[in-house]
């Protein structure tokens, strides 16, 4: 079923009614604009061969400031986990805004056993075991994922979720994963 969803993403990336051409990214808020600091230099740049969807895994409350959350996540990632940066490359807020996080050329990090090298990591804010992703988040996820797939010449088999690579997690949560399973 996830292949049907991925096919929709790729079709949207190339159709004439899509809001962006394949070479123009969706609007992405840069790290500096949300008050983050650039990541430290990384090892050899990664080659993107997969796109992996995640959820935050924490309840998102209306009125929470996503930019303040990102600053706290960046600090926690660096100081507590000793990672180079936020583990994800892009973060999508409930209002559909897409935030840049870790540089795409730098492999992400994970608390589970899968190896995220080669993965473009996209995380939606919220706990989708208990909450529903917003329509704006879903639209932004489609737009971003389709653009990434086109930019990196990826087929439908390269688009999946965290739990497709790890038996240690339910991420991206049943309410987001249902869209993958249903072929939406």
């Amino acid at each position: 079923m996830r292949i049907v969803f991925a096919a929709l993403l790729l079709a949207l990336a190339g159709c004439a009614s899509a809001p962006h051409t394949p070479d123009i990214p969706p609007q992405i808020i840069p790290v500096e604009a949300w008050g983050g600091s650039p990541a430290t230099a990384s090892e050899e740049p990664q080659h993107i061969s997969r796109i992996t969807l995640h959820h935050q895994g924490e309840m998102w409350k209306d009125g929470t400031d996503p930019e303040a959350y990102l600053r706290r996540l960046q600090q926690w990632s660096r100081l507590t986990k000793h990672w180079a940066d936020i583990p994800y490359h892009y973060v999508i807020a409930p209002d559909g805004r897409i935030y840049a996080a870790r540089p795409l050329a730098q492999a992400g990090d994970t608390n589970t056993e899968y190896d995220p090298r080669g993965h473009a990591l996209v995380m939606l804010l919220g706990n989708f075991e208990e909450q529903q992703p917003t329509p704006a988040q879903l639209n932004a996820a489609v737009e971003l994922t389709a653009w990434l797939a086109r930019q990196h010449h990826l087929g439908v088999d390269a688009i999946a979720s965290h739990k497709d690579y790890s038996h240690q997690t339910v991420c991206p949560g049943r309410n987001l994963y249902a869209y993958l399973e249903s072929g939406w």
Side-chain angles (χ1 to χ4, degrees):
M1 293 293 182
R2 102 181 134 78
I3 290 176
V4 175
F5 176 75
L8 174 62
L9 294 175
L10 292 175
L12 284 172
C15 76
S17 63
H20 296 283
T21 65
D23 297 328
I24 300 173
Q27 185 175 0
I28 298 170
I29 300 167
V31 171
E32 297 78 21
W34 55 259
S37 60
T40 58
S42 68
E43 65 280 356
E44 183 177 323
Q46 71 171 345
H47 168 76
I48 300 299
S49 59
R50 303 204 172 278
I51 301 168
T52 306
L53 297 173
H54 294 258
H55 74 154
Q56 175 191 17
E58 298 172 7
M59 294 296 288
W60 189 261
K61 296 181 180 128
D62 288 339
T64 302
D65 179 1
E67 295 180 4
Y69 167 78
L70 287 170
R71 290 188 295 272
R72 286 189 306 273
L73 178 60
Q74 188 176 62
Q75 183 177 19
W76 175 83
S77 298
R78 291 175 176 176
L79 299 178
T80 302
K81 297 300 287 185
H82 304 288
W83 292 334
D85 206 345
I86 291 173
Y88 312 101
H89 298 104
Y90 302 97
V91 176
I92 302 175
D95 64 5
R97 286 181 291 169
I98 302 169
Y99 292 91
R102 177 183 291 246
L104 192 56
Q106 187 176 61
D109 279 298
T110 180
N111 285 314
T112 61
E113 82 286 2
Y114 91 104
D115 182 355
R117 285 180 293 196
H119 294 240
L121 304 178
V122 177
M123 187 262 281
L124 284 69
L125 293 174
N127 178 350
F128 302 127
E129 275 294 295
E130 300 180 30
Q131 296 174 291
Q132 291 290 330
T134 68
Q137 279 180 307
L138 294 171
N139 289 334
V142 166
E143 190 175 340
L144 176 63
T145 305
W147 175 75
L148 286 167
R150 295 286 301 231
Q151 289 300 299
H152 298 281
H153 309 287
L154 301 176
V156 296
D157 59 335
I159 302 169
S161 76
H162 186 178
K163 78 180 202 169
D164 293 318
Y165 299 109
S166 173
H167 67 276
Q168 297 177 341
T169 186
V170 297
C171 179
R174 68 176 174 248
N175 294 322
L176 178 55
Y177 197 74
Y179 287 95
L180 294 160
E181 287 183 309
S182 74
W184 181 88

